[in-house]
Amino acid sequence: MAEDLLIAGTTKEEKYRELLPCLESLTSGETDLTANMANIAAALKQTFGFFWVGFYRLKEEMLVLGPFQGPVACTRIRYGKGVCGTAWQRAETLIVPDVNEFPGHIACNSRSRSEIVVPVFRKESIIGVLDIDSEHVNNFDATDAFYLQRICRLLAAS
Ligand code: SME
């Protein structure tokens, strides 16, 4: 396995397009969910330099902090709470251009300004969410949603 991801693209779309096959090959030979979540979080952080990238896993009727890259974060999120708990409740990707405008946003770190949360499905059930925070307002769009959903689908098999 390569020591470093070599992503040459300059636009967001180019970077995601290069990253996707790398992640496919990284995760396809591994059945452990934690290992795959850890490598996906690291690859996204390394490629895009996001402020915080990580997974919350559904356990005991709560979202519990899983593999992540970035500053320490809150460990448990209830159904319907914050951006993560709302994405879980609605079973859909949420893009929050300005976290200060999202009622009930859970501020794990005051430097986070915008956020995207993508549910991770296994068959029809949600097993967790991918949460990414940016220090910049309005950092996420439909391109992020499209590719991050594809990346999360890689976890369904593991
Ligand atoms: N902001 C999230 C909490 C998790 S942290 O951003 C890592 C939320 O509102 O659910």
Side-chain angles (χ1 to χ4, degrees):
M1 193 184 76
E3 274 179 34
D4 253 329
L5 287 170
L6 297 171
I7 304 293
T10 50
T11 69
K12 178 191 282 195
E13 174 114 28
E14 285 168 351
K15 288 180 182 182
Y16 276 120
R17 280 193 188 183
E18 281 185 65
L19 186 58
L20 199 58
C22 298
L23 291 179
E24 270 164 6
S25 99
L26 256 180
T27 55
S28 63
E30 177 53 64
T31 56
D32 188 87
L33 188 61
T34 303
N36 286 336
M37 286 179 163
N39 265 340
I40 287 172
L44 287 168
K45 173 83 171 166
Q46 190 182 327
T47 302
F48 295 101
F50 294 129
F51 177 65
W52 195 93
V53 187
F55 290 90
Y56 282 87
R57 296 174 67 173
L58 191 50
K59 282 188 181 177
E60 300 149 12
E61 306 292 311
M62 279 191 187
L63 291 171
V64 181
L65 185 63
F68 72 95
Q69 297 265 318
V72 294
C74 41
T75 54
R76 286 173 188 261
I77 299 174
R78 291 181 187 278
Y79 186 72
K81 299 295 179 189
V83 185
C84 293
T86 305
W88 171 22
Q89 183 178 44
R90 294 189 196 164
E92 66 183 27
T93 297
L94 288 185
I95 294 172
V96 179
D98 181 347
V99 295
N100 293 325
E101 304 289 320
F102 188 94
H105 166 255
I106 300 165
C108 294
N109 191 300
S110 59
R111 285 166 63 186
S112 170
R113 302 297 307 282
S114 61
E115 186 163 353
I116 184 168
V117 179
V118 180
V120 179
F121 288 91
R122 184 175 275 164
K123 296 187 177 153
E124 302 299 305
S125 310
I126 290 180
I127 59 166
V129 299
L130 168 61
D131 179 17
I132 305 182
D133 289 17
S134 167
E135 289 179 285
H136 309 287
V137 172
N138 211 10
N139 199 61
F140 302 104
D141 58 23
T143 300
D144 297 284
F146 176 77
Y147 285 101
L148 293 172
Q149 285 166 0
R150 289 187 63 177
I151 288 169
C152 283
R153 284 204 287 275
L154 298 176
L155 291 166
S158 61

